[in-house]
Amino acid sequence: MFRVKQPFVSVQRRFPRFQFHESIKIGITQGEMPTYAEGRGVDLAEGGAGVTTGSKLQIGDTVHLLIPLPEGGLRVPAYVRYQYGSEYGFEFVALGTTEREYIREACKSLMRIG
């Protein structure tokens, strides 16, 4: 019996993604004191970021990302949404209009990738 391959279906994203290759710190709270893991940005969007790290994170964890942007660093809470090898996808949570605009403005100087 032969299986028919399903056509590739693109995932519709809410925000465009931009190439972002900067060091990012991942704040992990387990217990009383947070620990920080090193990460490297892959992409950045108004709603989240892709980051590679050697640290092991769990899907659903809440972390804080320290993201260096041209106008100054930004600390944002985020959920771990996916993991593929050492790359993790983070969705920003509880962002206000000011933070979203700050990220949107920073992305204008970056190359769009999706």
Side-chain angles (χ1 to χ4, degrees), residues 16-20 42-45 107-108 110-113:
R17 293 182 303 148
F18 298 87
Q19 193 172 55
F20 188 76
V42 174
D43 59 58
L44 180 64
C107 287
K108 286 181 179 179
L110 303 173
M111 184 173 77
R112 186 171 175 167
I113 57 173

Side-chain angles (χ1 to χ4, degrees), residues 57-76:
L57 303 171
Q58 298 296 316
I59 294 173
D61 282 354
T62 301
V63 300
H64 282 88
L65 301 179
L66 302 174
I67 303 171
L69 296 175
E71 298 296 319
L74 183 64
R75 182 177 187 262
V76 295

Side-chain angles (χ1 to χ4, degrees), residues 21-91:
H21 298 293
E22 300 289 336
S23 294
I24 293 177
K25 291 199 183 295
I26 304 165
I28 305 164
T29 305
Q30 294 177 347
E32 292 183 27
M33 295 297 294
T35 59
Y36 289 91
E38 295 293 326
R40 186 81 177 158
V42 174
D43 59 58
L44 180 64
E46 190 177 330
V51 179
T52 60
T53 182
S55 296
K56 298 294 181 199
L57 303 171
Q58 298 296 316
I59 294 173
D61 282 354
T62 301
V63 300
H64 282 88
L65 301 179
L66 302 174
I67 303 171
L69 296 175
E71 298 296 319
L74 183 64
R75 182 177 187 262
V76 295
Y79 292 131
V80 179
R81 286 294 179 208
Y82 74 83
Q83 183 235 342
Y84 184 74
S86 63
E87 184 175 328
Y88 291 84
F90 296 93
E91 178 183 355

